[in-house]
Amino acid sequence: MAHRLLVSMILGSTLAYGQGALGLIGEFTDGSRSARFAAATPNFYLEPNESVHPALSPAFQGTWRGTLQILQNGAYEFSHEITLDGKTAKKHTLTAGAHSFELRYARPAGAAALRLQWRSAAFPWEPVPASAYSHRKQDEPGDGIEHGRALVYDAQCANCHRATGMERDVPPLAGIGSETNLNWLYTWLQRHTVIPHTAEQSADLAAYLSTLRTAATVKTRRSNEVAVGKGGELFGTLGCANCHGTLHGMGSKYSLSVLAAKLLTTHRPSMLLNEEDATALAAYLTRSTDARYEQAAPAGNSARGAEALASLGCANCHEQKRAAKPLSELRSAACKVVRLNWNEAEKQAVQAFLSGPADRSPAPVYDFPRNLQRFSCTACHKADTEAPPLEGVGEKLKTSWLSGVLWQKKRVRPGRELRMPHYSEDLMRPWIASFAKAEGLAPGDGPTPPAFPEEKRSVGVGLLGTNPRKKGMACIGCHDWGNYKSLGEEGPQLIDAAARLRFDWYERWMHNPARILSGTSMPNYFSSMPEERAKDRIHTLWAGMEPGAKAPVPDGYRTSDLEVTREAKPVPDKEAIVIRWDMPEATPAAIAVGLPGALSYCFDAGESRLLYAWRGGFLDLTGTLLKKTGENKLTPTAKLIGEIFWRSKEFPFRVGTDKRIPQRRFKGYRLVEGIPEFHYLMDGMDVFEKLSPQNGGKTILRQIRISRVDHPVFFEGRAIAPGSNGNLEVTLGQ
């Protein structure tokens, strides 16, 4: 009979989803053992010696089960044969809603990959997003072995009992007497009850530890109230609070000079602080004291303290001696040395983990979420922070670029306040390939782009800039180019985009950014173009970026560019001009559109609504092209050429009742016959809005299309009945 393991994988991406949770349940076997666990997606890439779960050999087979959420009725084709609602096929005709999901998989010999993709009439091939998978909470495995594994990891058991990959960093004791003081050491030891010891032993240990000093001298640093204020700001903006909380009482432990030195040299991971920032941060932290740690310590015996250090086993953790029996040889949750406050259920979980069969195979995809938590990646990379989401990073970024970010100090947006830490190569290299493997992709740099001729590169650089003679698309309006700052918003660097991005991801992103990142401010330029034309334009932009710093600087960043182009005062011709720029009375997500015929308008993507329209010209950008901020430290806005003839008072729609303003989310825009059509969600309903010149350029025709009206909707007080086509036309400027 197969030995069955019930395990529960703790995922940072597993969230409440109605009565269930995101992700799927996997049930796999290698013939002698079975494993059951949850995962965010079914995707993985495995080397010949790797498995889907550490308890299984590489020769495994099994099934992913759960629910697939479909948002729109239609015909869908999948890259693998799957079973939906009992029907097994690659092609399925599905209605909007939840469908029972199964995917069977048998591991072939050699390297293996599973990456489930789909396509429909509405979108080309793409990976099924993690948000589409869910499962019932009652189908999740119990606490069992994986809960025990997590408890053992949190308790730092592997610091005494050897277990590769489960060790936790513990501060070394060498030189501790030069860093802190006797009073703090004694009080801390009194409160450090992991290893039971007496008050007398605390005094002896403190006396001994205070003798462990280094010969090196610490540079003297001084601060003032300005430095303290700056340090408080840095503590919040750098992301320190995400890992450390408040760090109350640091002034009772460290002096300003010692803490500043530690922040600069021994803090792991490094925060890449300079001398001034480290001193300011230390000044802020050491301002906080705790009276409990400043009471005079009783006299202790240093010699007895050295003996206690050895007999209590402190060196197993703090000096990484790990003299105890390896974790794989333990069979009991009881520990004779460490006091563990586990309840009965937790003890049973630990017992199940320790008494279970030893791991058989490396399982990097299975371990990936735990490593993200182990290195505190999820402390910053979460909602409502500047840090980008980690979902999909492995399919977006080249493995070589990730290595540059993690241990070579490469940064895309170095000006951001939330700071990406710097790690050691030894720590990160063993698992960096997991970013790609978790997406079902072979680690590396992905598919090789086509070989582009020099003339295509030249055209590509022209497209990046703002010169209308070179058909510039004004990419530099949101993106830096090396040391040249963007003219408006702060998007990712373009000068190293080809070194950073996998080419297959770049093609998919450019074709329809909102399919990858809902609500992105990146325009949708190409989805309305014929496929071959869109592909050629997307490739041309890549060709322009591929040489990186060796490429010419795109037109528009420099004063000399302005002298030979009309970008400072762009004039629409046969097609509309669309510019993302800081506009009067708008959020930073404003979009200015110049229509043929001297009519213009401002659409605010941040609020998903039309703000105002004017006639007589378009924009004068002279005062904003080369200025990031004005005298009042605010970003200068473009100047309207002409007079505003129409202005909105508020968002024109109400949903449910004629009083309720709906939730909105901008989805992008596309060009239809040279005129932008904006797309946004309104309480989940798709809304498309297009404004075109009419009456010889005297008025604007505002056309609004709602894909489905499934709630009572009111437009400027006018009711639109549910079930209607939701098409509206309004003339502005009559």
Side-chain angles (χ1 to χ4, degrees), residues 513-592:
R515 289 293 304 178
I516 296 178
L517 182 60
S518 180
T520 179
S521 58
M522 175 74 180
N524 183 347
Y525 289 113
F526 303 110
S527 64
S528 61
M529 285 186 184
E531 184 175 347
E532 285 304 311
R533 182 185 173 194
K535 181 178 179 180
D536 179 70
R537 184 65 64 89
I538 290 169
H539 284 195
T540 303
L541 284 165
W542 179 275
M545 296 185 294
E546 197 168 48
K550 295 180 180 179
V553 178
D555 290 346
Y557 286 116
R558 303 158 299 191
T559 304
S560 58
D561 297 331
L562 301 180
E563 294 172 353
V564 297
T565 70
R566 297 186 301 166
E567 67 195 87
K569 294 183 180 181
V571 178
D573 191 8
K574 294 180 181 180
E575 292 188 347
I577 294 179
V578 183
I579 297 180
R580 286 183 172 271
W581 214 266
D582 289 292
M583 294 290 292
E585 307 173 31
T587 73
I591 300 174

Side-chain angles (χ1 to χ4, degrees), residues 365-543:
V365 176
Y366 178 83
D367 290 335
F368 182 60
R370 183 163 57 86
N371 279 324
L372 291 178
Q373 294 176 339
R374 174 187 174 191
F375 297 113
S376 300
C377 304
T378 52
C380 289
H381 291 272
K382 58 186 178 182
D384 302 320
T385 70
E386 285 187 331
L390 292 175
E391 182 182 335
V393 166
E395 67 173 347
K396 175 182 178 180
L397 299 180
K398 297 177 178 179
T399 304
S400 59
W401 181 266
L402 280 170
S403 69
V405 171
L406 290 173
W407 67 76
Q408 297 175 34
K409 302 181 182 179
K410 288 183 180 179
R411 298 293 181 267
V412 180
R413 300 183 182 181
R416 285 198 166 188
E417 292 179 321
L418 185 64
R419 188 167 299 183
M420 174 67 195
H422 170 67
Y423 295 89
S424 69
E425 181 177 356
D426 291 345
L427 197 63
M428 292 289 123
R429 184 174 286 282
W431 73 287
I432 190 173
S434 302
F435 283 93
K437 290 180 177 181
E439 305 294 339
L441 297 169
D445 291 349
T448 303
F452 299 115
E454 285 303 315
E455 56 267 26
K456 199 175 191 74
R457 300 195 189 284
S458 179
V459 174
V461 173
L463 293 177
L464 294 170
T466 58
N467 189 339
R469 298 176 188 175
K470 299 179 182 179
K471 299 183 179 180
M473 299 175 65
C475 304
I476 68 173
C478 296
H479 298 276
D480 295 352
W481 182 269
N483 293 326
Y484 293 93
K485 298 301 180 183
S486 71
L487 308 182
E489 295 185 32
E490 184 196 352
Q493 268 278 5
L494 291 183
I495 199 169
D496 52 23
R500 187 172 73 247
L501 304 175
R502 292 173 59 109
F503 185 69
D504 49 350
W505 182 92
Y506 161 81
E507 286 189 295
R508 192 161 65 88
W509 168 261
M510 294 298 290
H511 185 78
N512 192 346
R515 289 293 304 178
I516 296 178
L517 182 60
S518 180
T520 179
S521 58
M522 175 74 180
N524 183 347
Y525 289 113
F526 303 110
S527 64
S528 61
M529 285 186 184
E531 184 175 347
E532 285 304 311
R533 182 185 173 194
K535 181 178 179 180
D536 179 70
R537 184 65 64 89
I538 290 169
H539 284 195
T540 303
L541 284 165
W542 179 275

